[in-house]
Amino acid sequence: MDNISRRSLLTAGLGAGLVAAVPGAAVAAASTVPGAGLRTDPFTLGIASGEPWPDGFVLWTRLALDPLAEDGLGGMPSRSVPVAWEVAEDAGMKRVVARGVEHALIDNAHSVHVELRGLKPGREYFYRFRSGQHTSQVGRTLTSPALHETPAALAMSFASCAQYEHGYFTGYRRLAEDHPDLVLHLGDYVYEYRKESYVIGGGNPRDHAGPETVSLENYRQRHAQYKSDPDLQAAHAVAPWLVVWDDHEVDNNWADEVPENADPAQLNDSAEHFRQRRAAAFKAYYENMPLRASSVPAGADMKIYRTVQWGQLANFHMMDTRQYRDDQLAGDGWKKNVQERLAEDRTITGADQEKWLLDGFMNSTQRWDILGQQVFFAERDRNKAAEIDDVSMDGWDGYAASRRRITQGWADAKVRNAVVLTGDVHRNWANDVKVDYKDPASPVVGSELVCTSVTSTGNGSGSTVDPVMAWNPHLRFYNDQRGYVNTRITKDSLQADFRVLDYVTTPGSPVSTKASFEIRDGVPGLRARA
């Protein structure tokens, strides 16, 4: 083999190329790909990278000439289109170390996934795509450190809940400007609603195109609308992402094969049709995310839980709390004294995912074990009276035994530092985690950091007090603004900065740090930082 990477191999019929590169090789710049025949720029949905490992990562793009085309195919011709890619050691793309060609297939909405191998661990790289005379922007990405290495620090940001209609994605822009090395997205990347069905006070500043997402065409169009946003594109281009879904990528508060409104008389709410809807949502999700071929969906099933190691510094256990859960009890929502939520056989993860996670705790040698998941983890009881509990059936409170097994699992495994990352609730929270919340003497065994939404529910009130904190002393911080969370992880500590925007219903808000917390190595619990 010469110093140009060998021809990409299509995997599982979804255009995932597994490519070997020669580390450090000097590779000539890619020439224009002939025969593309596209008269206008096809890179309207941007570029992305994800799933970093010590010698590579996934590169992603999806071609679209008309992102809002109702058939979900982006105005592209009904044929495959060759797309060249290249990876370099410099932002000017002069020191190219790997290159190749993929074919963007109509069956996959002209998306491209390249799984690159053979690069150096713990390095910064740059990449771009080309089709015909058109060239994408240049993106920045990283390989993770070698498995035996402990890097000095990792700058990781995380976000969730970006309802396009509720505001502008300035939070993504500010996140990109903070220049993280890794981004975690914890779900609700897109929302399923048709316009004017989920409206904030004062009215939505912008609208969804198309109907509520049910078909593959609908989901593809919706992802394309979101991906067209330049602020989101900036966040994808700055660093590799690890993504997991929550509910709105499919249907509000879905649980396994149960939709939000399980009415067999309604076409899209029967079990059979919901599986079809789920299959469409999963296929579109894979097509639009920088995921490995191991996550290629099989109909209505798609495995997204996995562990990504960052050397000996951290494990990122990326979880799925939707696909395998028992249905929410008592009709969902906040409910009082639902004793069935304590049942030992209730699960939010499913047995296989729970075993995977507990085994991961037992086998961990990393300083930090970080759970990237969706819904509120710590107990949050809205009723002050000890004899009455009022908790959310959709969060881990609705699956209390499942939470106890996982929390006790990391305590039994003597995980050095356990940190749960959460989205979903459109507010910032910082919480101490216990095995038994009813026992005041129960020790703190970990921490939970909850990021607010990027836009969902609009600007927010700016409040920093929730009344439930008075009788839930493990809930340490609350804030009702939009934004994201930055972390800096070292062998000695994890520092979390809650970054908030003044407004999202008009573009261009400044960002500031509302609060900062520190978790010290080997010392469970949160410390507020001035």
Side-chain angles (χ1 to χ4, degrees):
M1 188 178 79
D2 62 15
N3 61 356
I4 298 177
S5 61
R6 67 176 179 264
R7 179 72 180 89
S8 301
L9 302 176
L10 296 182
T11 303
L14 279 175
L18 179 61
V19 183
V22 179
V27 182
S31 60
T32 299
V33 179
L38 302 178
R39 296 183 178 180
T40 58
D41 180 14
F43 297 108
T44 57
L45 307 184
I47 59 176
S49 70
E51 303 297 301
W53 50 85
D55 69 339
F57 32 71
V58 172
L59 301 180
W60 172 93
T61 194
R62 178 184 162 200
L63 309 183
L65 302 175
D66 176 13
L68 298 186
E70 291 183 359
D71 64 1
L73 295 176
M76 292 294 293
S78 299
R79 56 178 172 81
S80 64
V81 177
V83 180
W85 56 267
E86 54 188 2
V87 175
E89 295 178 323
D90 66 302
M93 303 299 293
K94 302 297 185 184
R95 299 191 301 277
V96 176
V97 295
R99 58 179 284 205
V101 176
E102 288 286 336
H103 281 80
L105 305 179
I106 189 172
D107 287 347
N108 307 316
H110 291 96
S111 62
V112 172
H113 293 74
V114 181
E115 293 191 25
L116 194 62
R117 294 286 192 180
L119 299 175
K120 296 178 181 179
R123 299 294 182 91
E124 180 182 64
Y125 288 96
F126 299 86
Y127 64 97
R128 66 183 175 187
F129 296 90
R130 180 174 294 145
S131 187
Q133 300 297 321
H134 306 288
T135 303
S136 75
Q137 70 182 111
V138 174
R140 169 183 176 264
T141 191
L142 292 88
T143 52
S144 61
L147 297 181
H148 66 278
E149 294 180 345
T150 303
L154 169 65
M156 182 273 290
S157 300
F158 65 99
S160 71
C161 302
Q163 220 288 22
Y164 182 92
E165 299 176 298
H166 288 182
Y168 294 87
F169 289 166
T170 310
Y172 284 138
R173 175 71 61 175
R174 300 295 177 247
L175 182 153
E177 292 168 352
D178 287 345
H179 208 67
D181 294 324
L182 182 67
V183 177
L184 272 59
H185 200 285
L186 303 180
D188 294 345
Y189 183 93
V190 298
Y191 279 67
E192 77 275 28
Y193 303 108
R194 62 175 175 81
K195 71 176 183 179
E196 298 177 355
S197 64
Y198 184 15
V199 181
I200 59 174
N204 292 342
R206 50 187 188 173
D207 292 325
H208 280 151
E212 178 168 340
T213 53
V214 174
S215 69
L216 179 58
E217 293 80 9
N218 300 157
Y219 284 109
R220 283 170 165 172
Q221 181 193 43
R222 187 61 49 82
H223 275 279
Q225 183 173 24
Y226 279 58
K227 278 290 202 307
S228 299
D229 187 281
D231 294 331
L232 176 55
Q233 291 185 13
H236 272 298
V238 77
W241 282 41
L242 299 177
V243 299
V244 284
W245 57 50
D246 191 15
D247 52 338
H248 291 290
E249 289 88 349
V250 181
D251 178 38
N252 182 54
N253 280 19
W254 66 281
D256 194 6
E257 296 186 1
V258 182
E260 178 183 19
N261 300 306
D263 182 357
Q266 298 298 315
L267 177 65
N268 294 316
D269 292 333
S270 68
E272 176 187 354
H273 285 92
F274 183 68
R275 282 188 60 82
Q276 294 174 8
R277 180 179 185 178
R278 206 172 89 167
F282 287 2
K283 179 169 171 57
Y285 187 81
Y286 180 82
E287 289 171 347
N288 285 279
M289 292 295 178
L291 286 163
R292 303 181 196 180
S294 57
S295 290
V296 169
D301 300 303
M302 180 175 171
K303 184 173 179 290
I304 62 167
Y305 67 84
R306 72 264 189 215
T307 297
V308 175
Q309 297 182 11
W310 203 264
Q312 287 298 301
L313 185 64
N315 285 320
F316 292 96
H317 305 287
M318 305 302 292
M319 298 177 62
D320 179 353
T321 62
R322 288 291 166 190
Q323 190 174 182
Y324 313 105
R325 67 158 67 192
D326 293 321
D327 192 15
Q328 296 94 338
L329 290 168
D332 204 355
W334 289 80
K335 296 293 165 56
K336 295 179 180 179
N337 288 351
V338 178
Q339 293 305 303
E340 294 92 334
R341 73 184 185 89
L342 306 176
E344 287 296 320
D345 61 350
R346 279 188 62 73
T347 180
I348 195 172
T349 63
D352 290 346
Q353 185 178 191
E354 182 177 301
K355 183 180 185 302
W356 157 81
L357 187 57
L358 295 178
D359 288 348
F361 293 153
M362 292 298 297
N363 296 325
S364 175
T365 60
Q366 278 68 21
R367 291 275 180 144
W368 302 88
D369 278 87
I370 298 172
L371 282 62
Q373 62 92 49
Q374 295 76 26
V375 294
F376 210 90
F377 190 81
E379 183 175 270
R380 185 170 45 140
D381 186 352
R382 296 199 307 187
N383 198 296
K384 183 176 182 179
E387 67 276 11
I388 300 173
D389 62 46
D390 183 7
V391 299
S392 171
M393 296 296 104
D394 189 56
W396 287 81
D397 278 332
Y399 307 81
S402 197
R403 175 177 60 200
R404 189 200 68 247
R405 288 191 298 270
I406 287 171
T407 309
Q408 189 67 58
W410 80 54
D412 291 346
K414 296 181 170 53
V415 164
R416 187 163 181 149
N417 301 290
V419 181
V420 180
L421 307 182
T422 301
D424 184 61
V425 296
H426 309 163
R427 306 291 188 274
N428 287 312
W429 292 85
N431 310 320
D432 290 332
V433 175
K434 297 184 173 188
V435 176
D436 184 357
Y437 293 95
K438 300 304 183 187
D439 179 5
S442 180
V444 174
V445 297
S447 304
E448 179 180 21
L449 302 171
V450 183
C451 66
T452 185
S453 62
V454 174
T455 56
S456 300
T457 69
N459 293 329
S461 67
S463 172
T464 58
V465 176
D466 188 303
V468 305
M469 298 170 73
W471 54 89
N472 293 269
H474 55 280
L475 306 181
R476 301 281 306 280
F477 169 71
Y478 166 86
N479 166 253
D480 177 20
Q481 286 173 280
R482 309 289 75 83
Y484 54 94
V485 179
N486 285 344
T487 69
R488 176 178 169 80
I489 307 169
T490 70
K491 64 183 181 63
D492 297 321
S493 68
L494 184 154
Q495 178 181 325
D497 296 331
F498 288 85
R499 303 280 280 164
V500 300
L501 305 179
D502 293 345
Y503 48 86
V504 296
T505 51
T506 55
S509 172
V511 67
S512 60
T513 298
K514 192 71 172 185
S516 295
F517 288 87
E518 181 184 48
I519 307 167
R520 296 182 181 176
D521 175 40
V523 184
L526 298 158
R527 292 173 176 263
R529 299 180 76 252

